[in-house]
Amino acid sequence: MENKKELCSNCNIRSSVVSVLNKEELTVLERACLQTEFVKGELIFKEGTPANQIVYIREGFAKLSKSGIGGRDYILSISKKGAYLGIHNLNKTTRQYNVSATAITKCKVCFIDIEKFGVLVRRNGDFAMEIISYIFGDEMNYFDRLVNNVQQQLHGRLANTLHYFANEVYNESSFNLNLTKAELASLIGTSRESVSRLLKEFQDAGIIKMGKNQVTILDDEKLLEIKQKG
Amino acid sequence: MENKKELCSNCNIRSSVVSVLNKEELTVLERACLQTEFVKGELIFKEGTPANQIVYIREGFAKLSKSGIGGRDYILSISKKGAYLGIHNLNKTTRQYNVSATAITKCKVCFIDIEKFGVLVRRNGDFAMEIISYIFGDEMNYFDRLVNNVQQQLHGRLANTLHYFANEVYNESSFNLNLTKAELASLIGTSRESVSRLLKEFQDAGIIKMGKNQVTILDDEKLLEIKQKG
DNA sequence: GTTAAAACGTGATATTTGTTACAGTACTAA
DNA sequence: TTAGTACTGTAACAAATATCACGTTTTAAC
C-alpha cells in the first residue's frame, strides 16, 4: 500500500458521476479523498467493519465476497474501474461494509469520506440523481446475474458468468480470469470439481479455449444459447 | 379497477420517504399522482412495457416476477405497503418495467408521473437522499435473499424464504402465503413437488404448521439454523 | 534450485433434486 | 349441484451435482 495525492479535478480517470459537480464541489470532494494502491490478493476492506468511507475504484479489479457457513464464501461480483463500494451506507447511522473487497489485480482506489460525500448529495440534486443512476446501472448489474443463477442449472450459470466476464467486466472475448477455479466455483455457487468438469466440457464443445488462467470465448452464439436455455 | 382521488397531504398511509417534502412539493406530488385499486390476481404492470409512472403500493401485497425460458417464471420478491416500483427508471431515457407486478391480495396503489417525481428529486437533495436510503433499505432486501438462494441447498432456501415472509413481508410468525405451491416454488427456484416434500419435512420436524394456505412458524430457532447452515 | 503449499484434474460414489405419472382435493362458473 | 379446471400430494425413477479420494501440476517461499 502506498499513498499519493492527485487532484480530482485533474484526474483523468474520474467517474462520469462527478461530471455534474462544479469546481467548488469538486474541491470539496478532493479534500475528502485519499488515494491508495493495493496489490493482487490484498484485502481492501472486510465485511462487517466500520465504513466511514466510500471506496472508489480508479483502476484494476476487485472481487466482492461474503463469507458463508464453514469458512465457505460466496463471491458476488467483480468490481472494476468506476465502481463505488460501500455507497449503501450513505444515509445510515451505523455504517459497515456488507461485503468484503479484495484486489484481484493491482488496484488504485480512492477512499472518500462518506459524510462529506453525503453533503454533496444533499446539496446538489443533479449529483444525487447521478448517484441514483449509478446505483441502478452498476449495482443492479449483478441483479440479473443473481436471478439467472437461481433459476438455472450449472451449465447456464457458467455460461452466464463467462458472458458476464467478457461483456461486463473485462470487455474482451479473451481475458484473464484472475480467479482460481475454486473462486470461480464460489462465484457460480458450486464446487471446484464441477467447474473443472464443465470448463472441460465447454472446451470439448469448442465454445471456449483455456490456457493458464486465460479464457477465450470462441463461440459466443453457443455460449449465449446455453446461458439462456439453462 | 376503480379510481378515486385522495390528497397526498391528507393521506395517512403515505410513505416516510416523502416526509422531507414541504407543502408546495407535496402538492406537486399530489398532482402527479393517480390512485387505483387492484383485486387479487390482477396484473399491475408487465415486464417490458413502457414505464412512465412510479407505482407506489399504499396497501396490500404484490409479487414481482420475471418470465424465464419456456413460460417458466421466477418470482423475485413480494412487495408490500410502502414500496416504490419502477423507480429504477428515474433517470433513464428509455423507460420500461424490468419485472411484472401482480396483486396477490387486494391492492391500493398510486401511479406517480415519473418526470415530475424526478423534478422533485433534483430540486430537493434531502428527498433524493431519502430515495437513496429507500433503494438500499427496501429494494436491496431481495439482494441478500438472492445471494442466499444461489449458494444454498433447497432446505436453506425454503427456510430463508419462510423467514423472509415472517420477518420482512408479513411481520407475523403466522401468515397467509397468498401464493400457490407452484408460485412458492418459482420464488425459491425449484419445482412444485420439491416444495411439497420439503414443507412436509418441515412439518414433520415440528418447525412449521400448515393449514389451508396459512403457515405458522413453530420453531424459529431451528428455521434460522437451517437458513444458515443450508 | 529445492521444497512446501496451493491449485488442479478426474474417477467412483452418494445425495440431492427434477421429472413423470397419476389420483385426490378444492375452487369456479354456469 | 355439477362439470370443469386448477391446485395438491406422493411415489418411482432419472438426471444433475456434491463429495471423497488421490495423484499431478503449478506457484510461492526460502
Side-chain angles (χ1 to χ4, degrees):
Chain A
M1 284 201 234
E2 144 201 6
N3 287 3
K4 41 182 171 174
K5 190 66 194 177
E6 200 179 312
L7 297 181
C8 295
S9 35
N10 298 333
C11 177
N12 57 353
I13 54 176
R14 71 176 187 234
S15 156
S16 67
V17 167
V18 302
S19 63
V20 296
L21 294 182
N22 63 32
K23 274 191 184 171
E24 186 229 325
E25 290 166 330
L26 217 47
T27 307
V28 173
L29 191 65
E30 243 162 53
R31 295 225 183 88
C33 179
L34 194 74
Q35 291 160 32
T36 310
E37 270 189 42
F38 290 89
V39 301
K40 178 173 177 155
E42 273 185 323
L43 182 70
I44 300 175
F45 55 76
K46 187 171 156 62
E47 180 184 1
T49 58
N52 296 312
Q53 289 84 31
I54 287 174
V55 176
Y56 175 67
I57 306 212
R58 300 175 66 210
E59 217 179 304
F61 299 92
K63 66 171 181 183
L64 304 189
S65 61
K66 259 171 144 15
S67 75
I69 342 359
R72 188 191 291 248
D73 62 351
Y74 179 72
I75 299 180
L76 295 153
S77 71
I78 307 299
S79 284
K80 61 173 179 177
K81 181 168 64 178
Y84 288 90
L85 310 180
I87 201 173
H88 67 279
N89 286 307
L90 250 187
N91 201 27
K92 292 255 172 74
T93 44
T94 349
R95 292 169 173 147
Q96 54 181 10
Y97 294 111
N98 58 354
V99 296
S100 294
T102 310
I104 60 170
T105 66
K106 185 172 126 177
C107 280
K108 294 186 183 179
V109 311
C110 296
F111 284 83
I112 306 167
D113 183 284
I114 201 167
E115 290 279 1
K116 291 177 188 150
F117 195 90
V119 170
L120 288 179
V121 171
R122 289 179 195 277
R123 185 193 295 177
N124 183 337
D126 287 320
F127 183 54
M129 189 59 108
E130 286 297 321
I131 296 294
I132 291 173
S133 296
Y134 165 74
I135 293 167
F136 285 118
D138 220 81
E139 298 274 313
M140 291 292 174
N141 92 31
Y142 32 161
F143 195 76
D144 276 344
R145 259 194 49 250
L146 282 175
V147 171
N148 225 307
N149 277 356
V150 174
Q151 58 183 346
Q152 294 211 313
Q153 306 270 85
L154 264 190
H155 292 255
R157 307 221 293 269
L158 180 60
N160 190 24
T161 302
L162 292 177
H163 193 260
Y164 162 70
F165 280 140
N167 298 289
E168 309 274 330
V169 182
Y170 300 114
N171 291 110
E172 305 248 18
S173 68
S174 183
F175 52 86
N176 192 303
L177 256 187
N178 293 319
L179 296 174
T180 66
K181 298 286 159 64
E183 284 178 313
L184 184 53
S186 83
L187 177 54
I188 296 175
T190 182
S191 64
R192 176 184 67 79
E193 293 91 332
S194 294
V195 168
S196 258
R197 276 190 271 258
L198 276 187
L199 282 176
K200 203 182 150 203
E201 264 188 55
F202 279 24
Q203 279 185 87
D204 291 349
I207 300 168
I208 61 169
K209 197 177 72 184
M210 292 212 55
K212 276 288 179 194
N213 227 345
Q214 192 77 13
V215 177
T216 307
I217 293 175
L218 301 175
D219 191 342
D220 200 47
E221 290 270 322
K222 211 161 195 169
L223 194 69
L224 252 147
E225 194 188 313
I226 296 174
K227 170 187 151 127
Q228 280 169 349
K229 279 206 182 169
Chain B
M1 286 200 232
E2 144 200 6
N3 286 4
K4 41 181 170 173
K5 190 66 193 175
E6 199 178 310
L7 297 182
C8 294
S9 34
N10 298 332
C11 178
N12 56 354
I13 54 177
R14 70 176 187 234
S15 157
S16 68
V17 167
V18 303
S19 61
V20 296
L21 295 182
N22 63 33
K23 274 192 183 171
E24 186 229 326
E25 290 167 329
L26 217 47
T27 307
V28 172
L29 192 64
E30 244 161 54
R31 295 225 183 89
C33 179
L34 195 73
Q35 292 161 33
T36 310
E37 271 190 42
F38 291 89
V39 302
K40 178 173 177 156
E42 272 185 322
L43 181 69
I44 301 174
F45 54 78
K46 187 172 157 60
E47 180 184 2
T49 58
N52 297 311
Q53 290 84 29
I54 287 174
V55 176
Y56 175 67
I57 306 214
R58 302 174 66 209
E59 217 179 302
F61 298 92
K63 67 172 181 183
L64 304 189
S65 61
K66 258 172 142 20
S67 75
I69 345 352
R72 188 190 292 247
D73 62 350
Y74 180 73
I75 298 180
L76 294 153
S77 71
I78 307 299
S79 283
K80 60 173 180 178
K81 182 167 63 178
Y84 289 90
L85 310 180
I87 202 171
H88 67 278
N89 286 308
L90 250 188
N91 201 27
K92 292 252 172 75
T93 43
T94 348
R95 292 168 174 148
Q96 53 181 10
Y97 295 110
N98 58 355
V99 296
S100 294
T102 310
I104 60 170
T105 66
K106 186 172 125 177
C107 280
K108 294 186 183 180
V109 311
C110 297
F111 285 82
I112 307 167
D113 184 284
I114 201 166
E115 291 278 1
K116 291 178 187 150
F117 195 90
V119 169
L120 289 178
V121 171
R122 288 179 195 277
R123 185 193 296 176
N124 183 337
D126 287 320
F127 183 54
M129 189 59 109
E130 286 298 321
I131 296 294
I132 292 174
S133 297
Y134 164 73
I135 293 166
F136 285 118
D138 221 80
E139 296 276 311
M140 291 292 173
N141 92 30
Y142 36 158
F143 195 76
D144 275 344
R145 262 194 46 253
L146 281 175
V147 171
N148 225 307
N149 276 357
V150 175
Q151 58 182 344
Q152 295 211 311
Q153 306 270 85
L154 265 190
H155 292 256
R157 308 223 292 270
L158 180 60
N160 189 25
T161 302
L162 291 177
H163 192 260
Y164 162 70
F165 280 140
N167 298 289
E168 309 273 329
V169 182
Y170 299 115
N171 291 110
E172 305 249 17
S173 67
S174 184
F175 52 87
N176 192 302
L177 257 186
N178 292 319
L179 296 173
T180 66
K181 297 286 158 64
E183 284 177 314
L184 184 53
S186 84
L187 177 53
I188 296 175
T190 183
S191 66
R192 177 183 69 77
E193 292 89 336
S194 294
V195 168
S196 258
R197 270 194 286 250
L198 278 185
L199 282 176
K200 202 182 150 203
E201 265 188 55
F202 278 23
Q203 280 185 87
D204 291 349
I207 300 169
I208 61 169
K209 198 177 72 183
M210 293 211 54
K212 274 288 178 191
N213 227 346
Q214 192 78 13
V215 177
T216 307
I217 293 176
L218 301 175
D219 191 342
D220 200 47
E221 291 270 321
K222 211 160 195 170
L223 194 69
L224 252 148
E225 195 188 312
I226 296 174
K227 170 188 151 129
Q228 281 168 350
K229 280 207 180 166

